[in-house]
Amino acid sequence: MRKMAWKPWRHIFWCDGGVNVGRRLITGAAAATTPDAAASLLRVCVVGSGPAGFYTAEKVLRRFAKAKVDIVERLPTPFGLVRSGVAPDHPETKVVTNQFSRVAVSGRCSFFGNVRLGMDVSLDELRKLYHVVVLAYGAESDRSLKIPGEDLAGVHSAREFVWWYNGHPDAANLQVDLRSTDTVVILGQGNVALDAARILLRPTSELASTDIAEHALAALHESCIRRVFLVGRRGPVQAACTAKEVREILGVQGLGVRLHPHDLITSPQDLEEMKKSRSHKRVYELFSKAARVEPMTSFETGGRELSFVFFRNPTAFLPSQDGSRVAGVHLEKTILQGEQGSVQRALGTGQFEDLPCGMVLKSIGYKSLSVPGLSFDDYQGRVPNAKGRVLRSGQGTEGTTIENGLYVVGWLKRGPSGIIGTNLVDAEETIDSIAEDESGGLLTNSGAPSQTSVGSDGLETLLKSRGIPSVSFGEWLKVDATEVALGNQRGKPREKIISKDDMLNIAKHVNSSSQTEGIQE
């Protein structure tokens, strides 16, 4: 394991805004290990440092007394979706990073940031270095609607927009034009869609004290957006959002919320759905209550307005007169069909209407990506698996086989669904499979290499030979401290650094605690 040279941060304290791992001495390296002890270690590599990855690492360390876990992450920063996906006005959700940090600083865990699977290191190479490889890198792409006009300027995925306002390096240069239009259409009615609508319509004075990226805050401060439509294919009973998200957006200061009373009429199938799902019932009740309240402000009177539009399916994006950008969405009205007790599906009616707008956010689902050497189901957007064990389809008459030593967890395992806590149960199932395979002697040849340099040492040697500057967790703490210091100057919990080059410069610079000038935020 690598040593941490930046001594002032060898003690980590409880603090507001920064990494919160309690008072703990970090020695920079695990205790000395004898050759016999090293040989008996279960070497585990977890690819991805979001909730699924860290929950898996934590459970491995608890389940196996003689396990060593290395977490590989493509960004220089850890925490995945918690850092780049959770809305800036939801700080309570981000507290889980304290738990993850305690895992990262344990003597049996190492963090390798800025390492890209499939580019800097291959899956086959990792499998040769470790007994167990667990893929937990989530979903970093988007589903496509595959309708005309999807490539028009002004049409973005909700993931891109969320990354943009959360300071994700990959979205730093996203061109989000909030001044050329006053109307945005968001396709989808899940929690991500509601987050995006809330950020667009919430007063920037309330966002200024969050960890929202500075470039996004500046753009929102100058924004002309005053009206947002949240469009769903089905009805209010089937909306994919939670009651918490609905209550929050209904409570946004100075926002008028509109729903069409006709959309709230329920069928026997709707009533049956609400009997089976308490969460759907609560969401519907909130919608019904909101529909009975006359909005205090409206778009027509110069106010900000949110409209829930149900039973509409997009069929095309409409171009502006010069064809340069999106000017609206062509929608088909839908009805729900389904037998009693079955899932009601939206079917087109052949009736159409246009909804003018100057920007569209597609919140229709995330999509995982494969890497060379990995079986992947493109249709479902996940890795075929049996309780977390990766499956490989055989050739010809060969059947499906299990890839010994290769596992999957999180969105890559089950598809992009659930909340952060869902990964707990998900990780437990995968760890159970690892434990069964370990006790059955199935891991002895799956990744136990013959070369001398294995696990952390082998990976570090490989990365150094290729000139890949991996970032340790101790080096990430330098970036963390700099972000917190920048945030303190502006009354924010942190000011995220969005340039990878700046992150690496801080992480690798020995005396970087005071370097805040010239940093891209």
Side-chain angles (χ1 to χ4, degrees):
M1 185 190 294
R2 298 154 294 168
K3 293 184 179 180
M4 290 165 42
W6 198 39
K7 294 181 181 179
W9 280 93
R10 290 165 79 99
H11 286 85
I12 302 178
F13 298 88
W14 294 85
C15 59
D16 292 332
V19 172
N20 176 347
V21 295
R23 185 183 177 105
R24 179 190 296 265
L25 178 66
I26 302 180
T27 62
T33 305
T34 66
D36 289 342
S40 65
L41 279 176
L42 179 68
R43 296 181 180 88
V44 179
C45 180
V46 177
V47 182
S49 67
F54 265 108
Y55 282 137
T56 299
E58 181 179 43
K59 290 180 180 297
V60 166
L61 295 175
R62 288 183 177 179
R63 183 75 69 92
F64 303 98
K66 294 183 178 181
K68 172 71 173 62
V69 178
D70 293 340
I71 300 176
V72 173
E73 166 61 48
R74 76 175 184 90
L75 294 177
T77 58
F79 309 137
L81 185 67
V82 180
R83 178 177 168 93
S84 62
V86 175
D89 54 353
H90 285 175
E92 70 284 351
T93 306
K94 303 182 183 185
V95 173
V96 72
T97 59
N98 302 332
Q99 176 183 348
F100 297 160
S101 295
R102 288 191 288 272
V103 174
V105 300
S106 70
R108 295 191 291 136
C109 184
S110 294
F111 177 73
F112 288 82
N114 197 47
V115 178
R116 300 164 298 176
L117 178 64
M119 298 182 70
D120 299 327
V121 62
S122 71
L123 179 59
D124 183 59
E125 287 170 330
L126 288 181
R127 296 186 69 186
K128 290 177 180 178
L129 290 171
Y130 296 89
H131 299 98
V132 171
V133 175
V134 183
L135 302 176
Y137 59 79
E140 295 191 327
S141 185
D142 310 284
R143 292 178 55 199
S144 172
L145 284 168
K146 298 180 180 179
I147 60 177
E150 197 164 5
D151 58 348
L152 286 169
V155 178
H156 306 286
S157 71
R159 175 193 58 82
E160 292 174 320
F161 183 66
V162 170
W163 279 11
W164 173 76
Y165 67 62
N166 272 327
H168 192 292
D170 292 355
N173 297 318
L174 185 68
Q175 300 301 307
V176 180
D177 183 1
L178 303 180
R179 292 184 58 80
S180 299
T181 183
D182 54 19
T183 302
V184 173
V185 169
I186 300 178
L187 301 176
Q189 295 176 336
N191 286 345
V192 174
L194 266 65
D195 279 344
R198 193 179 65 255
I199 295 299
L200 285 168
L201 295 170
R202 190 169 184 174
T204 53
S205 59
E206 297 178 5
L207 294 173
S209 60
T210 72
D211 68 354
I212 189 171
E214 187 63 24
H215 63 260
L217 183 63
L220 289 165
H221 185 70
E222 301 294 327
S223 173
C224 295
I225 306 300
R226 293 189 296 108
R227 178 169 59 183
V228 172
F229 292 96
L230 279 166
V231 179
R233 294 182 298 110
R234 298 191 291 171
V237 173
Q238 294 78 31
C241 51
T242 61
K244 177 180 179 295
E245 289 280 347
V246 176
R247 278 193 297 268
E248 189 170 7
I249 203 162
L250 293 179
V252 170
Q253 177 185 342
L255 179 63
V257 178
R258 294 187 178 277
L259 297 96
H260 198 293
H262 181 76
D263 289 339
L264 295 167
I265 298 174
T266 55
S267 67
Q269 290 92 334
D270 290 332
L271 296 176
E272 184 67 24
E273 281 190 45
M274 286 190 282
K275 284 183 180 179
K276 294 180 179 179
S277 173
R278 184 181 177 186
S279 60
H280 283 185
K281 181 180 179 181
R282 284 187 294 182
V283 168
Y284 175 79
E285 289 171 346
L286 287 169
F287 283 145
S288 298
K289 183 178 179 180
R292 294 193 296 268
V293 178
E294 185 65 26
M296 298 294 291
T297 184
S298 68
F299 176 77
E300 287 74 15
T301 60
R304 288 171 292 122
E305 183 177 290
L306 172 68
S307 294
F308 285 89
V309 180
F310 299 101
F311 304 109
R312 300 292 188 277
N313 185 47
T315 58
F317 296 108
L318 307 174
S320 56
Q321 288 187 343
D322 61 5
S324 63
R325 61 181 298 109
V326 69
V329 184
H330 192 52
L331 300 170
E332 182 178 16
K333 296 181 180 180
T334 64
I335 56 172
L336 296 184
Q337 284 192 0
E339 298 296 329
Q340 194 81 14
S342 65
V343 176
Q344 297 188 83
R345 302 191 180 280
L347 300 178
T349 63
Q351 298 176 293
F352 298 89
E353 62 185 17
D354 294 338
L355 189 56
C357 66
M359 189 169 98
V360 176
L361 298 178
K362 301 176 298 175
S363 187
I364 57 172
Y366 287 49
K367 180 181 178 182
S368 295
L369 299 174
S370 185
V371 294
L374 178 66
S375 298
F376 194 77
D377 186 329
D378 288 308
Y379 180 76
Q380 295 188 355
R382 64 185 184 90
V383 174
N385 69 94
K387 296 184 177 181
R389 298 178 178 93
V390 172
L391 301 177
R392 179 182 59 195
S393 298
Q395 299 291 330
T397 59
E398 297 180 7
T400 300
T401 58
I402 291 175
E403 295 267 23
N404 283 340
L406 185 59
Y407 303 85
V408 67
V409 72
W411 283 2
L412 199 58
K413 173 184 175 183
R414 67 179 186 273
S417 62
I419 59 176
I420 290 176
T422 308
N423 294 291
L424 270 169
V425 177
D426 191 276
E428 190 68 47
E429 181 184 62
T430 296
I431 298 303
D432 285 343
S433 294
I434 295 173
E436 290 176 8
D437 294 346
E438 194 273 340
S439 63
L442 299 179
L443 303 181
T444 54
N445 296 318
S446 61
S450 58
Q451 62 262 41
T452 303
S453 186
V454 296
S456 298
D457 293 337
L459 178 58
E460 189 163 12
T461 298
L462 182 64
L463 295 174
K464 283 183 177 180
S465 71
R466 294 173 179 173
I468 306 299
S470 63
V471 175
S472 70
F473 198 79
E475 290 170 334
W476 144 249
L477 289 176
K478 300 180 188 180
V479 179
D480 173 68
T482 304
E483 290 186 342
V484 172
L486 288 167
N488 287 339
Q489 297 172 10
R490 299 173 181 177
K492 303 173 66 175
R494 72 172 60 241
E495 189 61 65
K496 291 177 182 174
I497 298 166
I498 62 174
S499 163
K500 286 185 182 179
D501 288 340
D502 284 340
M503 292 178 191
L504 291 175
N505 181 52
I506 295 169
K508 297 300 180 181
H509 200 289
V510 175
N511 299 311
S512 59
S513 57
S514 61
Q515 286 195 352
T516 57
E517 295 184 2
I519 293 174
Q520 184 181 355
E521 304 157 10

